[in-house]
Amino acid sequence: MGIVVQKFGGSSVADAERLLKVCKHIIKEHNEGNNVAVVVSAQGKTTDKLISEEREITKNPNKREHDTLVSVGEQITISKLAMTLEELGYKAISLTGWQVPIVTTNEHGNAKIKYINNEKILDLFNKGYIVIIAGFQGVSEELDITTFGRGGSDTTAVAVAASLKADKCEIFTDVDGVFSSDPRIVKNVKKIDNICYDEMLELSSMGAKVLHNRCVEIGKKYNLPIIVKSTFEESSRGTIVDNNYMENITISGVTKDTNVARITVMGLENKIGRTYNVFKLLADNNINVDVIVQSFGENVNKNLSFSIKTSDLESAVKLLNDNIENIGAREIRYFDNLSKISIIGIGIANKTGVAADMFEALYENDINMHLISTSEIKISVLVDREESDRAVRAIHQKFFNN
Ligand code: ADP
Ligand code: ASP
Ligand code: MG
């Protein structure tokens, strides 16, 4: 008997009618003789709603209580899906993260999975159950409920599949796989049939939210292919994320990440160690810095610009201002109006002119670039947030529709 893990996202489980559609996929695998573990997200916009209700109470919630609150959505879905399957005549049972248990670190809001105890799931398989598991949540060793960050149900699914050594891990969503850009922004997107882990990791990390980036890391680590496909299109073949493809494609996709702010440390003394002190201070306070640019010139003060997540902006600015004398700067300026647009592809390092083509697309559309960063596998630029969709379309047009 094989083991299959299927995951259904928020829009796939949004209401009773959609739950019935989801059951079709589950029952098909079950009837083929497989043990099926199903991971689900909260229904529709439930998690957003819980977060906005939280904001009515506080903008700075206790992290433990935050996780207890936002994990609720998935618990609703697991019970409803188990009931729907039972109504259809199948044995199904729901498990929350702590019931499995999926044991995690206690980093609330971004907890990492330490291990999953398979015993209960396997026992339930032996008893003939379809096992429905709440995505996005686990339990710390102190027995507190933890969550994995927005979009984290994908990570639950791939981790459960890796732990069970499943034969197949399918991520069902509202689009027919991974595309060359977000189909909601760009019209002529191209479906990617096969993509390697490294490229998918960059696409997800740079804003393609179709897969949570951490699930791709787990897939890579355990060499587990991940299939992304549509819940609603019957003939969906989707995208396979694995390490098998014949040729490197130059550009696999264009992404946008709107969660980007910029800080400029003005008038930093031109002394050895000053830049280090700024980044050490941020690192010691768990603030991740992304693109960095430093002005240069002899014997003059420097300006140091870098991008960080919008969600870290307030605390980073406060931290730098509180330490402005120690770091030897004149002023801290900040801007919360940026997006990061990236092109991703394994082939970038071996092909000339990719950056030039990307910048030309922006130039032709009169879009200004603030910061640029490159790596073997991607080129990212920061643009004004209000220009981000236009920038994605222009770059996509240049590489995919010319
Ligand atoms: P789910 O609720 O099923 O987890 P998500 O909303 O998290 O679904 O992810 C699916 C969405 O990801 C799609 O509706 C699409 O708008 C968006 N998306 C962004 N970039 C891409 C891409 N490159 N390919 C496919 N979908 C993408
Ligand atoms: N419900 C969670 C969220 O909205 C997790 C997920 O959907 O993957 O972020
Ligand atoms: Mg998702």
Side-chain angles (χ1 to χ4, degrees), residues 168-283:
K168 193 158 80 171
C169 179
E170 293 178 314
I171 307 288
F172 286 89
T173 183
D174 56 359
V175 286
D176 185 20
V178 182
F179 290 84
S180 53
S181 196
D182 187 340
R184 293 188 203 290
I185 301 175
V186 181
K187 269 197 206 128
N188 300 320
V189 283
K190 295 213 162 38
K191 230 295 281 308
I192 302 172
D193 293 329
N194 207 242
I195 185 166
C196 69
Y197 295 113
D198 288 337
E199 273 179 314
M200 191 63 233
L201 194 54
E202 288 291 353
L203 283 176
S204 306
S205 305
M206 294 300 120
K209 68 168 188 163
V210 61
L211 280 183
H212 196 226
N213 60 352
R214 283 169 49 194
C215 90
V216 186
E217 274 176 46
I218 299 172
K220 182 178 175 187
K221 183 166 173 191
Y222 291 90
N223 201 16
L224 178 86
I226 304 168
I227 303 159
V228 184
K229 63 203 289 197
S230 163
T231 306
F232 307 109
E233 282 177 44
E234 294 290 330
S235 60
S236 170
R237 294 187 48 226
T239 298
I240 301 174
V241 186
D242 63 10
N243 264 338
N244 295 321
Y245 66 48
M246 306 257 316
E247 271 190 291
N248 291 342
I249 312 156
T250 303
I251 304 296
S252 59
V254 184
T255 59
K256 83 164 176 182
D257 178 355
T258 50
N259 182 14
V260 183
R262 180 177 61 164
I263 290 185
T264 300
V265 180
M266 307 282 295
L268 196 63
E269 283 174 283
N270 197 359
K271 282 192 190 158
I272 288 178
R274 288 303 192 205
T275 305
Y276 161 72
N277 285 341
V278 171
F279 292 118
K280 173 91 171 65
L281 181 66
L282 293 164

Side-chain angles (χ1 to χ4, degrees), residues 124-387:
L124 291 165
F125 281 163
N126 280 336
K127 292 179 176 146
Y129 282 99
I130 296 166
V131 181
I132 319 284
I133 300 167
F136 175 58
Q137 56 174 270
V139 62
S140 69
E141 272 158 349
E142 296 81 22
L143 301 185
D144 290 323
I145 295 173
T146 54
T147 64
F148 307 158
R150 297 306 308 267
S153 295
D154 299 332
T155 292
T156 307
V158 179
V160 166
S163 179
L164 293 172
K165 297 197 170 55
D167 299 278
K168 193 158 80 171
C169 179
E170 293 178 314
I171 307 288
F172 286 89
T173 183
D174 56 359
V175 286
D176 185 20
V178 182
F179 290 84
S180 53
S181 196
D182 187 340
R184 293 188 203 290
I185 301 175
V186 181
K187 269 197 206 128
N188 300 320
V189 283
K190 295 213 162 38
K191 230 295 281 308
I192 302 172
D193 293 329
N194 207 242
I195 185 166
C196 69
Y197 295 113
D198 288 337
E199 273 179 314
M200 191 63 233
L201 194 54
E202 288 291 353
L203 283 176
S204 306
S205 305
M206 294 300 120
K209 68 168 188 163
V210 61
L211 280 183
H212 196 226
N213 60 352
R214 283 169 49 194
C215 90
V216 186
E217 274 176 46
I218 299 172
K220 182 178 175 187
K221 183 166 173 191
Y222 291 90
N223 201 16
L224 178 86
I226 304 168
I227 303 159
V228 184
K229 63 203 289 197
S230 163
T231 306
F232 307 109
E233 282 177 44
E234 294 290 330
S235 60
S236 170
R237 294 187 48 226
T239 298
I240 301 174
V241 186
D242 63 10
N243 264 338
N244 295 321
Y245 66 48
M246 306 257 316
E247 271 190 291
N248 291 342
I249 312 156
T250 303
I251 304 296
S252 59
V254 184
T255 59
K256 83 164 176 182
D257 178 355
T258 50
N259 182 14
V260 183
R262 180 177 61 164
I263 290 185
T264 300
V265 180
M266 307 282 295
L268 196 63
E269 283 174 283
N270 197 359
K271 282 192 190 158
I272 288 178
R274 288 303 192 205
T275 305
Y276 161 72
N277 285 341
V278 171
F279 292 118
K280 173 91 171 65
L281 181 66
L282 293 164
D284 286 347
N285 287 277
N286 287 324
I287 294 170
N288 219 356
V289 172
D290 189 22
V291 187
I292 303 169
V293 176
Q294 183 176 283
S295 65
F296 62 93
E298 276 179 37
N299 303 323
V300 290
N301 287 349
K302 295 181 283 193
N303 292 336
L304 183 62
S305 291
F306 51 87
S307 65
I308 58 169
K309 285 190 176 150
T310 291
S311 41
D312 285 335
L313 182 63
E314 217 177 294
S315 45
V317 170
K318 179 164 187 322
L319 188 67
L320 292 167
N321 274 325
D322 288 350
N323 290 279
I324 197 156
E325 277 172 26
N326 287 346
I327 56 180
R330 192 181 68 239
E331 188 189 344
I332 309 299
R333 291 196 185 160
Y334 58 93
F335 310 85
D336 181 16
N337 56 356
L338 297 176
S339 281
K340 181 161 65 176
I341 313 295
S342 309
I343 52 174
I344 284 119
I346 289 284
I348 286 181
N350 298 322
K351 192 165 185 297
T352 51
V354 177
D357 285 349
M358 181 181 188
F359 302 159
E360 186 180 33
L362 295 172
Y363 162 70
E364 285 167 350
N365 286 273
D366 227 3
I367 298 170
N368 192 22
M369 298 184 279
H370 295 286
L371 300 179
I372 301 169
S373 82
T374 65
S375 79
E376 288 269 299
I377 189 172
K378 71 163 194 279
I379 303 174
S380 301
V381 298
L382 300 192
V383 303
D384 287 338
R385 196 172 294 151
E386 58 186 31
E387 302 277 33

Side-chain angles (χ1 to χ4, degrees), residues 107-118:
E107 286 165 83
H108 286 288
N110 192 24
K112 308 292 177 329
I113 300 174
K114 287 188 166 176
Y115 62 91
I116 296 175
N117 188 338
N118 294 333

Side-chain angles (χ1 to χ4, degrees), residues 7 9-10 41-42 44 47-48 70 74 135-136 149-154:
K7 178 257 171 179
S41 294
T47 312
D48 290 340
V70 298
E74 274 68 13
F136 175 58
R150 297 306 308 267
S153 295
D154 299 332

